[in-house]
Amino acid sequence: MMDSDIEESLKKKAKKNPFLAENSARKQFEQFAPRAYPAMGEVNFMQEEDVRLETTRARFTNLLKRHGDLSERLSQDSDKTIFERLQKEFQAARATQTQEISLDGDQWNDGLLATIRERVHMEADRRAMLGEANLLAGSHSREKITYKVGTKVICCLEGARIGIQYETSFAGEPCDLYHCVLESKSFLEKMTVLEHTIPFFLPIREAENDLLSSNAMRFIDHIGELLQAYVDRREQVRLIKELYGNQIRELYHSLPYHMIEFLLDDSECKVTVCLRYADLVSVLPTRVRVLAWPTPQFKKDNWTTSAPARLSYAEDALRTMSLPEAYAEIVLNLPQALQQIIQPRPSS
């Protein structure tokens, strides 16, 4: 009786709201319907997401490992440490040499470099076949040659490596030493730069990519030119600061000293000097701009234009002389140059 009353009540509600019955039936069906599983496309999508996540995780793990290795290497093998270690290795190689050959002009050529490469690989192969004890016992009979080419010293180092030590100078006085170590897996494979003590802002990697595999001798010479030019420009700036530091204001330069700017403070005007070098092997600037800016009082009394005056004589000196010599020339002739520029105002 009670069940029939409930059923009758539901029928009446369904007539009033036809959607109610449909929703009620759907809910009952959903309660007893089996659990839906993802379609095949969704499974593949989930698998692809898992693969991407795993790949990202592997890359991140590898990045962390490389970061740790690099941090350890930087902490243990700083630039100073590399220089000291290579310097000791070069000194040891020269101390045990049986002969030092100085090369001039055409004697330094691709054929000689090939001979040096063959020599270091033959020595490496001999060491691999013989034990250390046998090497020590027979070391006195092996010929060890060091080559001196201008300011470069080329040594045969252990492990099929060729070491180049670069000697730089300024005004006839020795300056810094730099090192570059080359290696190759075999005599027939191209050489690569293993390590060096060359300043990071000089383009050794670009030179390696452009020259080392195609013209190794040119690469070795080019690095020497880069280093000597850098030291020359640097020492020129150091010398004018040392000699004329009380006159120079606001001196700026790039790390390789291929862009230099400074201000000469004179009683009657301020002279701005801007120097740009065509490339990193140049020791004289190619783009020079020297302008004289009058002081307010001097401008009021003597200057007839609002623009600064260009000092052509100073620009010519900077293009043809070293920076200290050109600076002395500029200061010496500045009063005369200003007299030629200015036109004194008539007195009222």
Side-chain angles (χ1 to χ4, degrees), residues 109-252:
N109 52 48
D110 293 326
L112 177 64
L113 184 57
T115 300
I116 297 173
R117 289 190 64 189
E118 185 179 13
R119 185 185 297 275
V120 297
H121 280 285
M122 289 176 60
E123 179 65 14
D125 293 340
R126 189 179 72 88
R127 285 177 173 275
M129 289 187 294
L130 299 176
E132 190 66 28
N134 292 334
L135 284 172
L136 293 174
S139 60
H140 64 279
S141 61
R142 300 297 301 178
E143 186 180 33
K144 296 182 179 180
I145 302 176
T146 297
Y147 300 89
K148 184 148 178 63
V149 186
T151 58
K152 300 181 289 290
V153 177
I154 303 175
C155 300
C156 300
L157 304 178
E158 295 181 7
R161 296 174 301 149
I162 297 175
I164 305 101
Q165 179 174 275
Y166 295 95
E167 302 169 350
T168 61
S169 62
F170 178 70
E173 296 295 324
C175 288
D176 304 331
L177 294 176
Y178 298 96
H179 309 89
C180 182
V181 179
L182 308 177
E183 73 163 358
S184 60
K185 301 301 181 183
S186 71
F187 175 69
L188 298 177
E189 293 187 36
K190 69 175 185 178
M191 290 189 291
T192 58
V193 176
L194 177 63
E195 56 185 344
H196 63 86
T197 60
I198 296 164
F200 72 90
F201 44 79
L202 295 181
I204 182 172
R205 292 302 174 189
E206 288 84 346
E208 178 183 5
N209 295 333
D210 295 341
L211 296 174
L212 186 53
S213 60
S214 59
N215 193 339
M217 189 185 80
R218 178 64 191 128
F219 167 81
I220 294 172
D221 291 342
H222 180 64
I223 295 301
E225 294 167 2
L226 280 174
L227 290 168
Q228 182 55 56
Y230 157 67
V231 169
D232 209 318
R233 294 190 301 269
R234 184 195 68 191
E235 291 301 301
Q236 288 184 51
V237 172
R238 181 194 62 78
L239 192 55
I240 65 165
K241 288 169 64 177
E242 182 180 307
L243 296 176
Y244 310 107
N246 60 328
Q247 301 173 5
I248 295 175
R249 302 287 184 271
E250 302 177 16
L251 190 152
Y252 304 100

